[in-house]
Amino acid sequence: MGNFGLLLIGAAALAAPPISARGAQPATTGPLVLQGKCTSANKSEACTSCAVTLAQDFKQPAGDRVLTGLCPRMAAGRYRLNIAVPVELVPAQPALKIFAQLQESFGATARDPSGRADGALAETPPVTWSWWGPSGFVIDQTMPVTIDRDGGIDITFKLRNLRYFIPHRTQGPAHHDGELIVRKAELISLERLSVPGSAASRAADLGAPREFSAKILAEVVPGRTTKKQVKALLGEPWRTDAGDEDEAVPESWDYRGKGANGTYLIHIEFDDRGTTSLIVKIPDKTHTAQPRVAKTPAGPTKP
């Protein structure tokens, strides 16, 4: 069924106080909390951009990790949120070649001047990232975010199920030891989209929940409906994942929807022929749903 999540994990409680990005130190326990630097056209006004930078490498024993960037005094509006986290998984015992994997997800919570919290971006379904060797990989995703009122915003990034295989992914058990390193870099950026009708503004609109009727969704039939037909029925997807053929992770598209019962996520997966293999509508309130899948899995198209 791919790598989509029928259960989204809520934001973890922050067990460490915020620290300056310039003063970040290697740590052994707890989450990493960084204070972002925001800018505005006028110092008396709320910020329209924010950058969260890690000034030096952050090292911890391999395991589930939480990283949070704090952006204060953000102006209301539509933003482009970019996550770019360079990671490295170093095995406990030196190895010439490893195949490393982890899952990541992120979300954002807005805070008004009174301190009241409001969801700005529900936590995304976990996505699996893979790479060869200890040289690492950059986890890079971009997503639209809407801030309804002036105030701060906390962006939480989660790394889960870190593991590696020796000598490669098809042999031997998974290892969960070693050291996780987050390399120094600008990890999070938040830029307001202020020009209506621009390409960036149109991209952000894809993240705004749209109404999809039950009749339209019923026309997406696993085992029959192609990607071209899905796009004709539902429009451009909000988010796409190219998948991983070697790891049997399918290509997927996500849409944000809304209806009388609230907002929801539409997750669609495709087989290697570009035909829908699964569709599921996941309400934000419950984070669970029963998917519709192809009755007969498509056979391989390669010899």
Side-chain angles (χ1 to χ4, degrees):
M1 290 174 58
N3 63 338
F4 74 97
L6 295 186
L7 174 62
L8 303 186
I9 302 176
L14 299 181
I19 58 177
S20 167
R22 293 183 177 276
Q25 298 291 329
T28 57
T29 60
L32 173 63
V33 184
L34 297 174
Q35 185 73 45
K37 180 181 179 181
C38 70
T39 57
S40 60
N42 188 321
K43 290 185 178 180
S44 64
E45 297 177 351
C47 302
T48 55
S49 67
C50 178
V52 178
T53 302
L54 183 63
Q56 64 186 74
D57 293 350
F58 176 70
K59 303 178 182 180
Q60 290 190 321
D64 293 354
R65 292 289 172 253
V66 177
L67 182 155
T68 298
L70 311 180
C71 290
R73 299 185 64 244
M74 302 306 297
R78 294 180 303 171
Y79 287 79
R80 180 192 300 109
L81 169 63
N82 186 66
I83 306 284
V85 181
V87 296
E88 181 178 336
L89 184 56
V90 180
Q93 298 296 326
L96 294 176
K97 195 172 186 180
I98 66 171
F99 180 75
Q101 286 186 322
L102 58 79
Q103 288 185 327
E104 62 82 22
S105 62
F106 59 91
T109 302
R111 295 175 284 103
D112 64 19
S114 68
R116 184 179 63 178
D118 197 6
L121 173 67
E123 185 175 335
T124 63
V127 174
T128 299
W129 297 81
S130 306
W131 69 93
W132 283 101
S135 58
F137 193 80
V138 177
I139 298 172
D140 193 350
Q141 291 198 47
T142 300
M143 192 165 297
V145 172
T146 298
I147 301 177
D148 293 329
R149 60 180 70 85
D150 290 1
I153 184 167
D154 304 342
I155 302 161
T156 299
F157 184 89
K158 298 182 179 181
L159 303 176
R160 304 184 182 95
N161 196 20
L162 281 78
R163 58 199 183 277
Y164 65 93
F165 300 82
I166 300 175
H168 55 75
R169 61 188 180 279
T170 59
Q171 296 181 17
H175 298 262
H176 299 272
D177 55 16
E179 186 176 57
L180 169 66
I181 303 175
V182 179
R183 294 298 183 187
K184 61 181 181 181
E186 182 179 289
L187 306 180
I188 301 170
S189 65
L190 198 63
E191 295 288 340
R192 189 164 74 164
L193 305 174
S194 57
V195 182
S198 66
S201 179
R202 290 193 296 271
D205 287 340
L206 296 175
R210 291 174 277 165
E211 294 186 8
F212 298 101
S213 69
K215 180 180 179 181
I216 287 293
L217 294 179
E219 292 187 38
V220 180
V221 181
R224 190 175 70 192
T225 308
T226 66
K227 288 194 289 185
K228 183 177 180 179
Q229 291 169 328
V230 169
K231 190 172 291 186
L233 288 167
L234 307 183
E236 292 288 339
W238 161 50
R239 179 178 60 195
T240 63
D241 183 347
D244 186 330
E245 184 178 352
D246 290 339
E247 289 299 304
V249 176
E251 179 181 0
S252 64
W253 291 0
D254 289 335
Y255 294 83
R256 294 290 297 157
K258 64 179 180 180
N261 296 321
T263 55
Y264 53 85
L265 173 76
I266 299 171
H267 178 86
I268 302 173
E269 296 181 358
F270 301 95
D271 60 25
D272 59 0
R273 300 176 302 174
T275 301
T276 300
S277 60
L278 174 151
I279 179 172
V280 61
K281 176 181 174 182
I282 310 172
D284 290 342
K285 291 181 179 179
T286 63
H287 305 310
T288 60
Q290 183 65 39
R292 289 189 287 125
V293 299
K295 293 182 178 179
T296 304
T301 59
K302 297 181 180 181

mmCIF file with all atom_site columns, all heavy atoms in Angstrom, residues 80-98:
data_model
loop_
_atom_site.group_PDB
_atom_site.id
_atom_site.type_symbol
_atom_site.label_atom_id
_atom_site.label_alt_id
_atom_site.label_comp_id
_atom_site.label_asym_id
_atom_site.label_entity_id
_atom_site.label_seq_id
_atom_site.pdbx_PDB_ins_code
_atom_site.Cartn_x
_atom_site.Cartn_y
_atom_site.Cartn_z
_atom_site.occupancy
_atom_site.B_iso_or_equiv
_atom_site.pdbx_formal_charge
_atom_site.auth_seq_id
_atom_site.auth_comp_id
_atom_site.auth_asym_id
_atom_site.auth_atom_id
_atom_site.pdbx_PDB_model_num
ATOM 1   N N   . ARG A 1 80 ? 5.568  30.216 1.079  1.00 0.00 ? 80 ARG A N   1
ATOM 2   C CA  . ARG A 1 80 ? 6.203  29.006 0.570  1.00 0.00 ? 80 ARG A CA  1
ATOM 3   C C   . ARG A 1 80 ? 7.149  28.520 1.660  1.00 0.00 ? 80 ARG A C   1
ATOM 4   O O   . ARG A 1 80 ? 8.084  29.214 2.060  1.00 0.00 ? 80 ARG A O   1
ATOM 5   C CB  . ARG A 1 80 ? 6.985  29.278 -0.704 1.00 0.00 ? 80 ARG A CB  1
ATOM 6   C CG  . ARG A 1 80 ? 7.665  28.003 -1.263 1.00 0.00 ? 80 ARG A CG  1
ATOM 7   C CD  . ARG A 1 80 ? 8.670  28.308 -2.360 1.00 0.00 ? 80 ARG A CD  1
ATOM 8   N NE  . ARG A 1 80 ? 8.051  28.972 -3.481 1.00 0.00 ? 80 ARG A NE  1
ATOM 9   C CZ  . ARG A 1 80 ? 8.242  30.250 -3.785 1.00 0.00 ? 80 ARG A CZ  1
ATOM 10  N NH1 . ARG A 1 80 ? 9.010  30.998 -3.025 1.00 0.00 ? 80 ARG A NH1 1
ATOM 11  N NH2 . ARG A 1 80 ? 7.666  30.789 -4.834 1.00 0.00 ? 80 ARG A NH2 1
ATOM 12  N N   . LEU A 1 81 ? 6.898  27.310 2.154  1.00 0.00 ? 81 LEU A N   1
ATOM 13  C CA  . LEU A 1 81 ? 7.746  26.699 3.169  1.00 0.00 ? 81 LEU A CA  1
ATOM 14  C C   . LEU A 1 81 ? 8.693  25.714 2.491  1.00 0.00 ? 81 LEU A C   1
ATOM 15  O O   . LEU A 1 81 ? 8.247  24.816 1.777  1.00 0.00 ? 81 LEU A O   1
ATOM 16  C CB  . LEU A 1 81 ? 6.883  25.963 4.205  1.00 0.00 ? 81 LEU A CB  1
ATOM 17  C CG  . LEU A 1 81 ? 7.613  25.040 5.188  1.00 0.00 ? 81 LEU A CG  1
ATOM 18  C CD1 . LEU A 1 81 ? 8.566  25.841 6.069  1.00 0.00 ? 81 LEU A CD1 1
ATOM 19  C CD2 . LEU A 1 81 ? 6.611  24.259 6.030  1.00 0.00 ? 81 LEU A CD2 1
ATOM 20  N N   . ASN A 1 82 ? 9.994  25.903 2.697  1.00 0.00 ? 82 ASN A N   1
ATOM 21  C CA  . ASN A 1 82 ? 10.967 24.983 2.127  1.00 0.00 ? 82 ASN A CA  1
ATOM 22  C C   . ASN A 1 82 ? 11.776 24.328 3.239  1.00 0.00 ? 82 ASN A C   1
ATOM 23  O O   . ASN A 1 82 ? 12.297 24.999 4.124  1.00 0.00 ? 82 ASN A O   1
ATOM 24  C CB  . ASN A 1 82 ? 11.922 25.703 1.169  1.00 0.00 ? 82 ASN A CB  1
ATOM 25  C CG  . ASN A 1 82 ? 12.857 24.725 0.460  1.00 0.00 ? 82 ASN A CG  1
ATOM 26  O OD1 . ASN A 1 82 ? 12.410 23.902 -0.331 1.00 0.00 ? 82 ASN A OD1 1
ATOM 27  N ND2 . ASN A 1 82 ? 14.146 24.811 0.748  1.00 0.00 ? 82 ASN A ND2 1
ATOM 28  N N   . ILE A 1 83 ? 11.836 23.004 3.195  1.00 0.00 ? 83 ILE A N   1
ATOM 29  C CA  . ILE A 1 83 ? 12.626 22.208 4.127  1.00 0.00 ? 83 ILE A CA  1
ATOM 30  C C   . ILE A 1 83 ? 13.800 21.618 3.355  1.00 0.00 ? 83 ILE A C   1
ATOM 31  O O   . ILE A 1 83 ? 13.606 20.958 2.333  1.00 0.00 ? 83 ILE A O   1
ATOM 32  C CB  . ILE A 1 83 ? 11.790 21.055 4.728  1.00 0.00 ? 83 ILE A CB  1
ATOM 33  C CG1 . ILE A 1 83 ? 10.501 21.574 5.367  1.00 0.00 ? 83 ILE A CG1 1
ATOM 34  C CG2 . ILE A 1 83 ? 12.611 20.248 5.711  1.00 0.00 ? 83 ILE A CG2 1
ATOM 35  C CD1 . ILE A 1 83 ? 10.674 22.243 6.685  1.00 0.00 ? 83 ILE A CD1 1
ATOM 36  N N   . ALA A 1 84 ? 15.027 21.872 3.799  1.00 0.00 ? 84 ALA A N   1
ATOM 37  C CA  . ALA A 1 84 ? 16.212 21.313 3.149  1.00 0.00 ? 84 ALA A CA  1
ATOM 38  C C   . ALA A 1 84 ? 17.193 20.900 4.239  1.00 0.00 ? 84 ALA A C   1
ATOM 39  O O   . ALA A 1 84 ? 17.954 21.731 4.741  1.00 0.00 ? 84 ALA A O   1
ATOM 40  C CB  . ALA A 1 84 ? 16.843 22.320 2.193  1.00 0.00 ? 84 ALA A CB  1
ATOM 41  N N   . VAL A 1 85 ? 17.147 19.640 4.625  1.00 0.00 ? 85 VAL A N   1
ATOM 42  C CA  . VAL A 1 85 ? 17.928 19.141 5.768  1.00 0.00 ? 85 VAL A CA  1
ATOM 43  C C   . VAL A 1 85 ? 18.967 18.129 5.287  1.00 0.00 ? 85 VAL A C   1
ATOM 44  O O   . VAL A 1 85 ? 18.613 17.022 4.868  1.00 0.00 ? 85 VAL A O   1
ATOM 45  C CB  . VAL A 1 85 ? 17.005 18.498 6.818  1.00 0.00 ? 85 VAL A CB  1
ATOM 46  C CG1 . VAL A 1 85 ? 17.812 18.003 8.010  1.00 0.00 ? 85 VAL A CG1 1
ATOM 47  C CG2 . VAL A 1 85 ? 15.941 19.496 7.279  1.00 0.00 ? 85 VAL A CG2 1
ATOM 48  N N   . PRO A 1 86 ? 20.259 18.480 5.322  1.00 0.00 ? 86 PRO A N   1
ATOM 49  C CA  . PRO A 1 86 ? 21.305 17.518 4.942  1.00 0.00 ? 86 PRO A CA  1
ATOM 50  C C   . PRO A 1 86 ? 21.593 16.566 6.098  1.00 0.00 ? 86 PRO A C   1
ATOM 51  O O   . PRO A 1 86 ? 21.919 17.000 7.205  1.00 0.00 ? 86 PRO A O   1
ATOM 52  C CB  . PRO A 1 86 ? 22.516 18.410 4.641  1.00 0.00 ? 86 PRO A CB  1
ATOM 53  C CG  . PRO A 1 86 ? 22.276 19.657 5.428  1.00 0.00 ? 86 PRO A CG  1
ATOM 54  C CD  . PRO A 1 86 ? 20.799 19.808 5.606  1.00 0.00 ? 86 PRO A CD  1
ATOM 55  N N   . VAL A 1 87 ? 21.425 15.281 5.865  1.00 0.00 ? 87 VAL A N   1
ATOM 56  C CA  . VAL A 1 87 ? 21.603 14.284 6.921  1.00 0.00 ? 87 VAL A CA  1
ATOM 57  C C   . VAL A 1 87 ? 22.648 13.252 6.513  1.00 0.00 ? 87 VAL A C   1
ATOM 58  O O   . VAL A 1 87 ? 22.896 13.023 5.328  1.00 0.00 ? 87 VAL A O   1
ATOM 59  C CB  . VAL A 1 87 ? 20.275 13.568 7.254  1.00 0.00 ? 87 VAL A CB  1
ATOM 60  C CG1 . VAL A 1 87 ? 19.264 14.545 7.810  1.00 0.00 ? 87 VAL A CG1 1
ATOM 61  C CG2 . VAL A 1 87 ? 19.708 12.864 6.020  1.00 0.00 ? 87 VAL A CG2 1
ATOM 62  N N   . GLU A 1 88 ? 23.239 12.647 7.521  1.00 0.00 ? 88 GLU A N   1
ATOM 63  C CA  . GLU A 1 88 ? 24.212 11.577 7.310  1.00 0.00 ? 88 GLU A CA  1
ATOM 64  C C   . GLU A 1 88 ? 24.020 10.554 8.409  1.00 0.00 ? 88 GLU A C   1
ATOM 65  O O   . GLU A 1 88 ? 23.859 10.913 9.578  1.00 0.00 ? 88 GLU A O   1
ATOM 66  C CB  . GLU A 1 88 ? 25.633 12.136 7.346  1.00 0.00 ? 88 GLU A CB  1
ATOM 67  C CG  . GLU A 1 88 ? 26.717 11.100 7.117  1.00 0.00 ? 88 GLU A CG  1
ATOM 68  C CD  . GLU A 1 88 ? 28.101 11.745 7.109  1.00 0.00 ? 88 GLU A CD  1
ATOM 69  O OE1 . GLU A 1 88 ? 28.200 12.957 6.832  1.00 0.00 ? 88 GLU A OE1 1
ATOM 70  O OE2 . GLU A 1 88 ? 29.075 11.022 7.406  1.00 0.00 ? 88 GLU A OE2 1
ATOM 71  N N   . LEU A 1 89 ? 24.015 9.283  8.054  1.00 0.00 ? 89 LEU A N   1
ATOM 72  C CA  . LEU A 1 89 ? 23.893 8.203  9.026  1.00 0.00 ? 89 LEU A CA  1
ATOM 73  C C   . LEU A 1 89 ? 25.198 7.412  9.010  1.00 0.00 ? 89 LEU A C   1
ATOM 74  O O   . LEU A 1 89 ? 25.519 6.736  8.037  1.00 0.00 ? 89 LEU A O   1
ATOM 75  C CB  . LEU A 1 89 ? 22.708 7.300  8.680  1.00 0.00 ? 89 LEU A CB  1
ATOM 76  C CG  . LEU A 1 89 ? 22.395 6.170  9.662  1.00 0.00 ? 89 LEU A CG  1
ATOM 77  C CD1 . LEU A 1 89 ? 22.165 6.720  11.064 1.00 0.00 ? 89 LEU A CD1 1
ATOM 78  C CD2 . LEU A 1 89 ? 21.162 5.394  9.210  1.00 0.00 ? 89 LEU A CD2 1
ATOM 79  N N   . VAL A 1 90 ? 25.969 7.536  10.094 1.00 0.00 ? 90 VAL A N   1
ATOM 80  C CA  . VAL A 1 90 ? 27.283 6.896  10.177 1.00 0.00 ? 90 VAL A CA  1
ATOM 81  C C   . VAL A 1 90 ? 27.160 5.624  11.002 1.00 0.00 ? 90 VAL A C   1
ATOM 82  O O   . VAL A 1 90 ? 26.719 5.671  12.161 1.00 0.00 ? 90 VAL A O   1
ATOM 83  C CB  . VAL A 1 90 ? 28.311 7.852  10.817 1.00 0.00 ? 90 VAL A CB  1
ATOM 84  C CG1 . VAL A 1 90 ? 29.677 7.175  10.908 1.00 0.00 ? 90 VAL A CG1 1
ATOM 85  C CG2 . VAL A 1 90 ? 28.401 9.137  10.015 1.00 0.00 ? 90 VAL A CG2 1
ATOM 86  N N   . PRO A 1 91 ? 27.522 4.462  10.468 1.00 0.00 ? 91 PRO A N   1
ATOM 87  C CA  . PRO A 1 91 ? 27.376 3.203  11.206 1.00 0.00 ? 91 PRO A CA  1
ATOM 88  C C   . PRO A 1 91 ? 28.311 3.142  12.409 1.00 0.00 ? 91 PRO A C   1
ATOM 89  O O   . PRO A 1 91 ? 29.347 3.810  12.464 1.00 0.00 ? 91 PRO A O   1
ATOM 90  C CB  . PRO A 1 91 ? 27.732 2.144  10.164 1.00 0.00 ? 91 PRO A CB  1
ATOM 91  C CG  . PRO A 1 91 ? 28.581 2.855  9.165  1.00 0.00 ? 91 PRO A CG  1
ATOM 92  C CD  . PRO A 1 91 ? 28.071 4.259  9.116  1.00 0.00 ? 91 PRO A CD  1
ATOM 93  N N   . ALA A 1 92 ? 27.926 2.319  13.390 1.00 0.00 ? 92 ALA A N   1
ATOM 94  C CA  . ALA A 1 92 ? 28.750 2.158  14.590 1.00 0.00 ? 92 ALA A CA  1
ATOM 95  C C   . ALA A 1 92 ? 30.098 1.536  14.249 1.00 0.00 ? 92 ALA A C   1
ATOM 96  O O   . ALA A 1 92 ? 31.120 1.886  14.829 1.00 0.00 ? 92 ALA A O   1
ATOM 97  C CB  . ALA A 1 92 ? 28.006 1.302  15.616 1.00 0.00 ? 92 ALA A CB  1
ATOM 98  N N   . GLN A 1 93 ? 30.092 0.595  13.306 1.00 0.00 ? 93 GLN A N   1
ATOM 99  C CA  . GLN A 1 93 ? 31.327 -0.014 12.829 1.00 0.00 ? 93 GLN A CA  1
ATOM 100 C C   . GLN A 1 93 ? 31.614 0.493  11.423 1.00 0.00 ? 93 GLN A C   1
ATOM 101 O O   . GLN A 1 93 ? 30.715 0.547  10.584 1.00 0.00 ? 93 GLN A O   1
ATOM 102 C CB  . GLN A 1 93 ? 31.201 -1.542 12.811 1.00 0.00 ? 93 GLN A CB  1
ATOM 103 C CG  . GLN A 1 93 ? 30.959 -2.158 14.185 1.00 0.00 ? 93 GLN A CG  1
ATOM 104 C CD  . GLN A 1 93 ? 32.123 -1.939 15.121 1.00 0.00 ? 93 GLN A CD  1
ATOM 105 O OE1 . GLN A 1 93 ? 33.278 -1.918 14.702 1.00 0.00 ? 93 GLN A OE1 1
ATOM 106 N NE2 . GLN A 1 93 ? 31.830 -1.759 16.409 1.00 0.00 ? 93 GLN A NE2 1
ATOM 107 N N   . PRO A 1 94 ? 32.844 0.903  11.138 1.00 0.00 ? 94 PRO A N   1
ATOM 108 C CA  . PRO A 1 94 ? 33.168 1.422  9.802  1.00 0.00 ? 94 PRO A CA  1
ATOM 109 C C   . PRO A 1 94 ? 32.754 0.450  8.708  1.00 0.00 ? 94 PRO A C   1
ATOM 110 O O   . PRO A 1 94 ? 32.951 -0.759 8.828  1.00 0.00 ? 94 PRO A O   1
ATOM 111 C CB  . PRO A 1 94 ? 34.690 1.607  9.853  1.00 0.00 ? 94 PRO A CB  1
ATOM 112 C CG  . PRO A 1 94 ? 35.007 1.738  11.310 1.00 0.00 ? 94 PRO A CG  1
ATOM 113 C CD  . PRO A 1 94 ? 34.012 0.862  12.030 1.00 0.00 ? 94 PRO A CD  1
ATOM 114 N N   . ALA A 1 95 ? 32.158 0.973  7.652  1.00 0.00 ? 95 ALA A N   1
ATOM 115 C CA  . ALA A 1 95 ? 31.735 0.143  6.525  1.00 0.00 ? 95 ALA A CA  1
ATOM 116 C C   . ALA A 1 95 ? 31.995 0.913  5.237  1.00 0.00 ? 95 ALA A C   1
ATOM 117 O O   . ALA A 1 95 ? 31.743 2.123  5.159  1.00 0.00 ? 95 ALA A O   1
ATOM 118 C CB  . ALA A 1 95 ? 30.257 -0.208 6.642  1.00 0.00 ? 95 ALA A CB  1
ATOM 119 N N   . LEU A 1 96 ? 32.521 0.210  4.244  1.00 0.00 ? 96 LEU A N   1
ATOM 120 C CA  . LEU A 1 96 ? 32.823 0.862  2.981  1.00 0.00 ? 96 LEU A CA  1
ATOM 121 C C   . LEU A 1 96 ? 31.563 1.270  2.241  1.00 0.00 ? 96 LEU A C   1
ATOM 122 O O   . LEU A 1 96 ? 31.542 2.266  1.534  1.00 0.00 ? 96 LEU A O   1
ATOM 123 C CB  . LEU A 1 96 ? 33.679 -0.063 2.101  1.00 0.00 ? 96 LEU A CB  1
ATOM 124 C CG  . LEU A 1 96 ? 35.073 -0.372 2.619  1.00 0.00 ? 96 LEU A CG  1
ATOM 125 C CD1 . LEU A 1 96 ? 35.766 -1.369 1.687  1.00 0.00 ? 96 LEU A CD1 1
ATOM 126 C CD2 . LEU A 1 96 ? 35.898 0.904  2.736  1.00 0.00 ? 96 LEU A CD2 1
ATOM 127 N N   . LYS A 1 97 ? 30.509 0.480  2.419  1.00 0.00 ? 97 LYS A N   1
ATOM 128 C CA  . LYS A 1 97 ? 29.290 0.750  1.671  1.00 0.00 ? 97 LYS A CA  1
ATOM 129 C C   . LYS A 1 97 ? 28.073 0.398  2.508  1.00 0.00 ? 97 LYS A C   1
ATOM 130 O O   . LYS A 1 97 ? 27.987 -0.695 3.051  1.00 0.00 ? 97 LYS A O   1
ATOM 131 C CB  . LYS A 1 97 ? 29.280 -0.043 0.364  1.00 0.00 ? 97 LYS A CB  1
ATOM 132 C CG  . LYS A 1 97 ? 28.253 0.418  -0.648 1.00 0.00 ? 97 LYS A CG  1
ATOM 133 C CD  . LYS A 1 97 ? 28.447 -0.299 -1.972 1.00 0.00 ? 97 LYS A CD  1
ATOM 134 C CE  . LYS A 1 97 ? 27.517 0.254  -3.045 1.00 0.00 ? 97 LYS A CE  1
ATOM 135 N NZ  . LYS A 1 97 ? 27.681 -0.435 -4.338 1.00 0.00 ? 97 LYS A NZ  1
ATOM 136 N N   . ILE A 1 98 ? 27.155 1.341  2.638  1.00 0.00 ? 98 ILE A N   1
ATOM 137 C CA  . ILE A 1 98 ? 25.902 1.066  3.331  1.00 0.00 ? 98 ILE A CA  1
ATOM 138 C C   . ILE A 1 98 ? 24.759 1.615  2.494  1.00 0.00 ? 98 ILE A C   1
ATOM 139 O O   . ILE A 1 98 ? 24.950 2.478  1.629  1.00 0.00 ? 98 ILE A O   1
ATOM 140 C CB  . ILE A 1 98 ? 25.847 1.713  4.737  1.00 0.00 ? 98 ILE A CB  1
ATOM 141 C CG1 . ILE A 1 98 ? 25.840 3.248  4.633  1.00 0.00 ? 98 ILE A CG1 1
ATOM 142 C CG2 . ILE A 1 98 ? 26.975 1.219  5.605  1.00 0.00 ? 98 ILE A CG2 1
ATOM 143 C CD1 . ILE A 1 98 ? 25.564 3.938  5.949  1.00 0.00 ? 98 ILE A CD1 1
#
